[in-house]
Amino acid sequence: MNEPLPNHYLPQRSELIDSLRGFALMGICLVHFMEYFELYWINQDPTFLHNLIFFLFAGKAYAIFALMFGLSFFIIMDNQAKKGVNFSYRFAWRLLILLAIGYIHTLYYLGDILSVLGVIGLSLLFVQGLSNRWLVIIALLCLLQLPFYYHFFAALNNLPGANDNPAFFSLFGNVYAAIEKASFTELMLLNSSAGLYAKWIFFVESGRGLQLIGLFLLGLVLGRIGFFIRADKFDRHRIKALGIALLAAILLYALDKYLTQLPDTIFQEKGMAKWYLQQAIGSYLSTAVMASLVLLFVQFYLWQRSGKLLNLLAPCGRISLSIYLIQSLVGVPLFYPYGLGWYKTIGQTNSLLVGIAFYTLLIMLAHWWVKRFHYGPVEWLWRSVTYMTTKVPFRRTTTQPTNN
């Protein structure tokens, strides 16, 4: 780690990228509130609003976040390369810090994604030297979710253990049952052990880990070609891609509904073959919806009137790490048994309304904050520890621009 320290270097920002990241955070916030910060699964209530928000954002908002993670990797590495700096070791250290932040957050809220990004994000360091063609090939292989097809055929042929329920079914059942009785201290102990184990098993068995790697790589490629920085140069390609993504989402939605209504015995009298096939199709559908959301967002952003409205999300995207952590810092005590216990009483409609109101407050807070500070508090801490200095600028002077 011998590169020069940019004591007063303030990176240039793209308002489109920040706005898209703010949009993803909005989706995460709404899902968190409607999911009662994980406790919805104790007593499910699949209302129309629940199904709508989950169709639009559950898994998709995190996917956009993952795409932006790959894009940010490119921006950071490219900026440093232009100064003649090999930032790979520093980036690995940066991920280790993110993992530490995520682990602390996991103790408080099991649904944390930061620790996952900190671990899986290391994959970017091993492929950064590959050409765009190879990155796209590897990304597509990840997004194809090939292990599901192995499990599908293994279940059909009744191989040993192939028709057992995935381990995360029972693991999360036990964790949620324990959360209902847990004090704050007991919750932290639970999340540090059984909860943490269940989460990582879920990311492996559900295919989410592979999906994240694929999206990281696609984000890296989009950064290389300037898809967001020079968005106006991709108008025709973006419209074509949007049409393909929307068509794919419609067809996959129809296929997913068709598979759902089929009897569980369609492939075998008793077993998991149908479930694995549904998981593969569901993953494709989630990716298609995510791609549609990203492309629609960029399209609307580039239109002047709607772009001004969407740009209101940019400050949240600028301090995305802090905004993400604030959601659970406030939300968990509202819904969990050791706090107000809203998960039992609030209902889906009221929870959505609270989520909308809360994110509106976060937007207002972010606008106030970025006018006065260069970074969010956690972003400043992350950057300071990355460079192992406290000389990273934090508070703005009255003459400094917002540097968007």
Side-chain angles (χ1 to χ4, degrees):
M1 299 182 181
N2 57 357
E3 70 274 11
L5 174 65
N7 287 337
H8 300 291
Y9 174 70
L10 295 172
Q12 295 297 313
R13 310 285 307 197
S14 163
E15 289 193 333
L16 169 57
I17 294 172
D18 284 336
S19 297
L20 181 56
R21 193 178 285 116
F23 174 72
L25 283 166
M26 181 194 73
I28 291 171
C29 181
L30 297 184
V31 170
H32 278 172
F33 272 81
M34 295 202 76
E35 198 180 30
Y36 308 152
F37 289 83
E38 298 285 316
L39 300 191
Y40 167 85
W41 306 109
I42 293 175
N43 185 21
Q44 300 177 32
D45 180 23
T47 63
F48 170 77
L49 280 177
H50 170 91
N51 292 336
L52 176 63
I53 296 299
F54 267 60
F55 175 78
L56 290 174
F57 295 118
K60 293 82 172 178
Y62 275 128
I64 297 174
F65 220 55
L67 194 74
M68 295 294 99
F69 191 88
L71 173 65
S72 296
F73 172 78
F74 164 76
I75 293 172
I76 292 171
M77 301 300 284
D78 186 59
N79 285 338
Q80 295 298 322
K82 289 176 180 177
K83 293 183 285 184
V85 175
N86 180 358
F87 202 70
S88 296
Y89 292 109
R90 185 76 70 175
F91 191 84
W93 170 239
R94 178 180 170 87
L95 289 180
L96 183 61
I97 301 165
L98 184 64
L99 173 61
I101 295 172
Y103 177 74
I104 295 171
H105 186 223
T106 297
L107 300 180
Y108 184 76
Y109 170 53
L110 187 58
D112 166 78
I113 191 65
L114 302 179
S115 55
V116 178
L117 296 178
V119 173
I120 300 180
L122 288 169
S123 61
L124 288 164
L125 292 171
F126 295 100
V127 299
Q128 60 178 319
L130 297 180
S131 67
N132 287 348
R133 175 176 294 181
W134 276 109
L135 288 175
V136 170
I137 290 173
I138 296 172
L140 291 178
L141 287 174
C142 291
L143 295 175
L144 278 174
Q145 299 287 0
L146 296 179
F148 282 139
Y149 292 102
Y150 165 77
H151 288 297
F152 172 74
F153 287 108
L156 281 180
N157 291 282
N158 204 29
L159 296 183
N163 284 301
D164 294 342
N165 286 335
F168 76 84
F169 280 24
S170 59
L171 289 173
F172 270 115
N174 295 335
V175 168
Y176 291 146
I179 286 177
E180 280 203 284
K181 305 173 184 177
S183 65
F184 178 72
T185 303
E186 291 168 339
L187 176 68
M188 295 184 69
L189 291 173
L190 177 67
N191 287 348
S192 69
S193 52
L196 186 63
Y197 178 69
K199 182 173 78 170
W200 278 103
I201 291 297
F202 168 77
F203 270 92
V204 173
E205 293 184 331
S206 68
R208 290 286 184 90
L210 272 179
Q211 184 193 43
L212 286 179
I213 294 174
L215 293 171
F216 286 168
L217 301 186
L218 290 182
L220 172 56
V221 172
L222 292 175
R224 284 181 176 181
I225 66 176
F227 184 81
F228 296 103
I229 300 298
R230 300 186 297 274
D232 57 315
K233 295 185 178 182
F234 291 87
D235 285 346
R236 189 169 65 178
H237 294 91
R238 187 174 57 253
I239 294 297
K240 186 182 296 185
L242 176 58
I244 294 172
L246 288 173
L247 179 61
I250 292 170
L251 294 177
L252 288 166
Y253 177 78
L255 179 57
D256 182 66
K257 288 299 180 184
Y258 173 74
L259 286 175
T260 300
Q261 59 86 33
L262 289 176
D264 291 339
T265 56
I266 185 67
F267 296 113
Q268 55 193 152
E269 184 175 342
K270 183 180 180 182
M272 295 297 296
K274 179 188 173 186
W275 186 84
Y276 284 117
L277 186 59
Q278 284 180 292
Q279 289 299 109
I281 300 303
S283 180
Y284 302 159
L285 175 59
S286 178
T287 302
V289 173
M290 181 277 297
S292 300
L293 288 174
V294 170
L295 294 167
L296 279 170
F297 187 94
V298 174
Q299 193 63 39
F300 279 111
Y301 187 91
L302 294 178
W303 291 340
Q304 187 173 9
R305 291 185 178 179
S306 53
K308 289 181 179 179
L309 179 63
L310 294 176
N311 207 51
L312 293 174
L313 298 170
C316 286
R318 286 178 61 89
I319 57 172
S320 56
L321 184 55
S322 296
I323 292 294
Y324 173 74
L325 293 172
I326 289 172
Q327 292 181 24
S328 54
L329 184 66
V330 174
V332 168
L334 294 178
F335 288 96
Y336 275 50
Y338 75 81
L340 297 182
W342 279 5
Y343 80 102
K344 286 185 176 181
T345 59
I346 191 170
Q348 289 289 278
T349 301
N350 290 333
S351 187
L352 175 60
L353 293 175
V354 172
I356 293 172
F358 182 66
Y359 199 73
T360 301
L361 290 175
L362 289 181
I363 292 173
M364 296 168 63
L365 173 63
H367 276 265
W368 179 88
W369 186 274
V370 299
K371 290 178 181 178
R372 292 161 175 81
F373 302 94
H374 291 294
Y375 303 102
V378 186
E379 284 81 1
W380 181 86
L381 176 64
W382 191 15
R383 191 173 182 86
S384 296
V385 179
T386 296
Y387 289 106
M388 293 180 284
T389 180
T390 58
K391 295 181 180 180
V392 175
F394 185 49
R395 185 180 293 274
R396 294 185 185 277
T397 65
T398 55
T399 58
Q400 288 174 316
T402 58
N403 197 26
N404 279 334

